[in-house]
Amino acid sequence: MLAMQHYNSSGLAAPNLLPNQTWGVEGEPAMAWRANITTERPMSPPSNPTAAGLSMTLGILSNIVALVILAKAYARLRRRSKATFLLFASSLVATDFAGHVIPGALVLRLYSAGAATGPLARAATDAPCQFLGGSMVFFGLCPLFLGCAMAAERCLGVTQPLLHASLVTTARTKMALALIWLLALCVAFLPFFRLGAYTYQYPWTWCFIRVLGETQETDVAFVMLFSGLGLASLTVALVCNTISGVTLVLARLRKKCKTCYRRSAKSHDIEMVAQLVGIMITSCICWSPLLIFGLMSVTRSYSGSIGSDQDTYRKLMVMGVRLASWNQILDPWVYILLRRAVLRKIYRITKSRASFKNSTFRHWDISSFQNSEKINTVNRI
């Protein structure tokens, strides 16, 4: 990413003019300042984009492997209760794949343009910025919504299996997916209807909601909507996954799994809940900082109390978006690693090690007891 110093009308001093230039006479400096054209001065040469390319390649490969695994599982279990979960999971991985490739390609394009041409004056909003900002909002909300829907579906399946069997069908699942994508798309399109705005963000290689600078009431409302929907989705997923996990633990303790079919069903439930917990933890770690930093930045910027902390909040937003980008890389590994076959192998390895330690301890205890008896006998003699 580029490391640039940014000067615009959002709070820093106006650029110095030559002696023969005056505001409004020469035209270009005045027009650039009034139009909120940003002038960038390089503080350091651009860093090597190899790391960004490697992370993008890793994300693409991870999502492709996860899609292949989920497609095979869906083809094998199409008529079972797990089919709806696999449909949700496949849609989530496909969305992560698109959200990793499309914004990533745009960011690399912006980086390459900046590295090739040097620091250029860039308009606060243009077509690439609008598309990139909308993509980040859309592909940011979709995984959170899908994770929430998956947690709610599993909670219903674990706690009320009969009601789940009668309500949840493949057709209704596809309809729910379409509604989720439509809702995220509607939120992403709000800045085109004057609710919020997308602007270039520090270090000017990515675009997102305007949270610093000349923020207005619409910017505050849009950020509150975006962050509120994201945090609400994470909260609902946390509640549903907690209920599902507690229900499975209680069922295990009460030993209700008597038949082979029920054991198989419970193992499927455990696998799905384990994957949901992994998705929830990954989403909380990756997305919560960006959602919270966005709220903090826009509220302080709008109230005018940000002062000299503007650079700090810029760096916080960069850190938040970098963490959020890792969500699309880590999500596929949840399905790759937390499959039933992998969990079973981990359980067997752990059990074998535990039994080995127990047998070693028992052998040590017996031999120690025998040696102590021999010593006592010798002492008595």
Side-chain angles (χ1 to χ4, degrees):
M1 300 181 79
L2 294 176
M4 299 289 183
Q5 182 66 35
H6 188 60
Y7 295 93
N8 62 8
S9 61
S10 60
L12 298 179
N16 296 327
L17 297 175
L18 298 175
N20 61 348
Q21 289 181 330
T22 58
W23 293 108
V25 176
E26 294 295 325
E28 291 184 0
M31 290 177 62
W33 188 257
R34 292 194 190 102
N36 196 23
I37 300 297
T38 63
T39 305
E40 302 163 6
R41 294 190 305 174
M43 295 182 65
S44 60
S47 58
N48 195 334
T50 304
L54 289 176
S55 64
M56 191 171 179
T57 303
L58 176 62
I60 292 173
L61 294 177
S62 302
N63 281 279
I64 290 175
V65 172
L67 277 174
V68 171
I69 292 173
L70 289 170
K72 290 182 178 180
Y74 182 74
R76 188 175 66 255
L77 303 171
R78 181 173 296 180
R79 295 184 180 181
R80 297 188 184 182
S81 60
K82 194 181 176 181
T84 54
F85 176 83
L86 292 173
L87 187 57
F88 272 122
S90 302
S91 302
L92 175 59
V93 174
T95 305
D96 281 337
F97 178 75
H100 188 71
V101 172
I102 296 175
L106 289 173
V107 169
L108 288 178
R109 178 181 176 275
L110 289 174
Y111 176 89
S112 301
T117 59
L120 298 176
R122 183 176 289 152
T125 55
D126 54 11
C129 180
Q130 294 289 325
F131 183 76
L132 178 56
S135 298
M136 293 193 66
V137 171
F138 175 77
F139 291 116
L141 287 177
C142 278
L144 300 178
F145 289 164
L146 288 171
C148 178
M150 292 166 65
E153 184 268 337
R154 262 309 84 204
C155 182
L156 181 63
V158 171
T159 58
Q160 301 291 334
L162 296 178
L163 182 62
H164 176 273
S166 61
L167 288 180
V168 180
T169 61
T170 302
R172 290 176 179 174
T173 302
K174 293 178 180 179
M175 187 180 298
L177 288 171
L179 291 175
I180 288 172
W181 286 325
L182 181 61
L183 176 60
L185 188 63
C186 290
V187 175
F189 269 109
L190 287 179
F192 297 98
F193 297 96
R194 305 295 182 181
L195 182 60
Y198 297 124
T199 58
Y200 283 100
Q201 306 286 326
Y202 175 85
W204 331 127
T205 54
W206 61 290
C207 288
F208 196 57
I209 308 169
R210 180 166 55 197
V211 295
L212 295 170
E214 294 182 338
T215 53
Q216 303 173 359
E217 293 88 348
T218 54
D219 299 315
V220 178
F222 188 38
V223 174
M224 292 183 68
L225 176 64
F226 174 75
S227 298
L229 289 174
L231 293 174
S233 300
L234 291 174
T235 304
V236 173
L238 175 62
V239 173
C240 292
N241 288 330
T242 302
I243 295 174
S244 301
V246 171
T247 303
L248 289 175
V249 170
L250 292 176
R252 182 74 175 178
L253 293 176
R254 292 171 184 171
K255 297 181 179 180
K256 289 185 177 181
C257 306
K258 295 182 180 180
T259 64
C260 180
Y261 172 76
R262 290 300 299 166
R263 282 196 298 269
S264 177
K266 288 297 179 182
S267 65
H268 278 297
D269 289 334
I270 293 172
E271 178 189 17
M272 288 184 282
V273 171
Q275 291 175 347
L276 285 175
V277 170
I279 293 171
M280 181 190 65
I281 294 174
T282 303
S283 299
C284 287
I285 295 174
C286 294
W287 273 103
S288 294
L290 181 62
L291 299 175
I292 295 173
F293 292 158
L295 280 175
M296 293 169 56
S297 301
V298 76
T299 51
R300 290 203 60 186
S301 177
Y302 179 71
S303 63
S305 61
I306 193 167
S308 60
D309 295 333
Q310 185 168 354
D311 290 338
T312 301
Y313 280 94
R314 283 175 173 172
K315 294 176 182 178
L316 288 176
M317 290 296 295
V318 172
M319 183 180 68
V321 78
R322 285 176 179 172
L323 284 174
S325 65
W326 274 95
N327 181 75
Q328 295 154 346
I329 300 175
L330 297 176
D331 264 352
W333 287 99
V334 173
Y335 304 104
I336 295 171
L337 298 178
L338 296 184
R339 290 177 293 148
R340 188 170 53 167
V342 178
L343 292 175
R344 189 179 295 144
K345 289 180 181 178
I346 295 174
Y347 174 75
R348 287 176 179 174
I349 293 172
T350 306
K351 187 177 179 180
S352 62
R353 288 185 177 181
S355 61
F356 174 75
K357 288 181 180 180
N358 291 333
S359 63
T360 303
F361 289 149
R362 284 196 298 268
H363 178 72
W364 182 82
D365 291 337
I366 294 173
S367 60
S368 299
F369 176 76
Q370 291 175 350
N371 291 333
S372 63
E373 286 294 325
K374 291 179 180 178
I375 292 171
N376 291 332
T377 304
V378 171
N379 291 332
R380 287 176 184 176
I381 296 174

